[in-house]
Amino acid sequence: MEDVILTVNAIAATSATEPLVRTTIERRDVGPRDVLIQIRYAGICHSDIHTVRGEWGTVPYPLTVGHEIVGQVTAVGAEATKHAVGDRVGVGCMVNSCRECENCRAGQEQYCLKGNTQTYAGVDRDGTVTQGGYSTHIVVDEDFVLRVPESIPYETAAPLLCAGVTTYSPLAYWNAGPGRKVAVVGMGGLGHMAVKIAAAMGAEVTVLSQTLGKKDDGLAFGAEHYYATKDPVTFEVLRNSFDLIVNTVSVPIDMAAYLGLLRLDGTLVSVGAPPEPLPVPVFALFGNRRSFAGSSIGSIAETQEMLDFCAERGIAPEVEVIGADAVDEAYERVLASDVRYRFVIDVDTLS
Ligand code: NAP
Ligand code: ZN
Ligand code: ZN
């Protein structure tokens, strides 16, 4: 591959408050172990919104976000062996890691001790700021590119790259399965995948949503029970019930109330990432020897395992496909919990 830096169409945030704009960004030249991907669809994760609005810290504007990326390989470097031109592939939240630290060597590169290279707003190996998937092409090291099984259409595959693996990983780690009672708090992008995956793993799934408005959907996704968290009675009837609670809510929740729902040795794991702290009253942990944990995305191997699991079980996200000019409106709907259940950008609309 000759050294050509690609200029490609994209949408970018220029500040925390202004609408996204159409622009062009540069992709690094395709290195020997790189893959050039023509992006077909990019999912909208709530993390994109936290990021562009500056809720998680300083943002290197202008920034193109998006870390639920699927498309086709259009070129590979001379030494790349894992992917070939024409392959259906995906890229999630990270595009590199140090590969040398204890966690990388353990195959847990999402927990790289030097910090994995995030798909956007990270520092790329050429020193530039990484730019995400709301764009027509991306160049990624082949080790961080996933195979998308044939049976999963591109548009529904996209959200698996973040929402899918971020929920699969804690469900697998804390043994969601037959005989285990799992609650999912918040049924948005991550939450609806948590329900589908936990049910497919064989757990008895309960949804804890603000209202009963999405109850029929939750039961169709595989939940056996559905409760409204706006109703205080929910916290009385479900006290001491769950082995595992997966919290996907993007704002702080009342930790004492939710921890009270755990049975002996139960764990509440937060994947939801509000910018504010989640204060934990320690006495809520003493009863039932409860644990509070966090979990960040999943490893590359686990992401592939999740994609193959979803293909095998026929699990796919529910998506609403939108054009590139509808992203700001989609953000507002996500913020209003009016998402059914993941917005996915048709990247062809950027061409
Ligand atoms: P989302 O689609 O907006 O879903 C969040 C859900 O939380 C909403 O659908 C809603 O569910 C509930 N919720 C929202 N506002 C609430 C409020 N004020 N009170 C109570 N519940 C509320 O977002 P997402 O894309 O799934 O992301 C969820 C969170 O996970 C975000 O903070 C995101 O940054 C984070 N995240 C973390 C990781 C990780 O690696 N740990 C990866 C990806 C995303 P109901 O309508 O059902 O109540
Ligand atoms: Zn995400
Ligand atoms: Zn590392």
Side-chain angles (χ1 to χ4, degrees), residues 46-47 50 187-190 209-210 214 248 271 273 295 297 342:
H46 204 121
S47 301
H50 288 308
M187 201 171 74
L190 266 59
S209 183
Q210 293 167 88
K214 297 179 279 192
T248 75
V271 290
S295 183
I297 51 172
R342 200 56 143 185

Side-chain angles (χ1 to χ4, degrees), residues 235 247 249 251-261 268 278-281 284:
F235 293 91
N247 169 36
V249 177
V251 299
I253 58 169
D254 176 350
M255 289 299 291
Y258 285 91
L259 285 167
L261 306 185
L268 188 160
L278 281 179
V280 177

Side-chain angles (χ1 to χ4, degrees), residues 1 6 27 30 34-38 72-77 137-140:
M1 197 66 205
L6 284 174
R27 294 302 189 185
V30 179
D34 281 342
V35 170
L36 172 63
I37 301 164
Q38 182 187 356
Q72 252 154 332
V73 175
T74 52
V76 296
H137 298 77
I138 191 167
V139 177
V140 180

Side-chain angles (χ1 to χ4, degrees), residues 252-339:
I253 58 169
D254 176 350
M255 289 299 291
Y258 285 91
L259 285 167
L261 306 185
L262 291 172
R263 71 203 292 194
L264 186 65
D265 291 330
T267 299
L268 188 160
V269 56
S270 192
V271 290
E276 306 83 6
L278 281 179
V280 177
V282 74
F283 284 98
L285 296 171
F286 287 176
N288 279 341
R289 194 164 49 195
R290 299 173 174 119
S291 299
F292 174 45
S295 183
S296 179
I297 51 172
S299 69
I300 291 297
E302 199 171 31
T303 308
Q304 191 63 58
E305 181 184 301
M306 175 277 310
L307 286 164
D308 297 341
F309 175 88
C310 289
E312 217 171 87
R313 305 301 183 92
I315 298 170
E318 308 293 316
V319 301
E320 187 173 332
V321 177
I322 59 168
D325 295 322
V327 176
D328 293 297
E329 193 188 328
Y331 278 11
E332 292 308 319
R333 285 185 52 198
V334 171
L335 290 169
S337 299
D338 179 25
V339 50

Side-chain angles (χ1 to χ4, degrees), residues 97-101 104 112-114:
S97 72
C98 86
R99 302 165 192 240
E100 288 167 357
C101 73
C104 281
C112 175
L113 295 173
K114 292 182 184 154

Side-chain angles (χ1 to χ4, degrees), residues 7 29 36 40 49 60 64 96 102 111 138 143 145 161 188 198 208 215 259 291 300 303 314 316 347:
T7 302
D29 55 311
L36 172 63
R40 298 290 309 281
I49 306 175
T64 293
N96 214 340
E102 188 183 356
Y111 300 118
I138 191 167
D143 292 336
V145 175
L161 276 303
L208 301 175
K215 181 174 179 182
L259 285 167
S291 299
I300 291 297
T303 308
V347 167

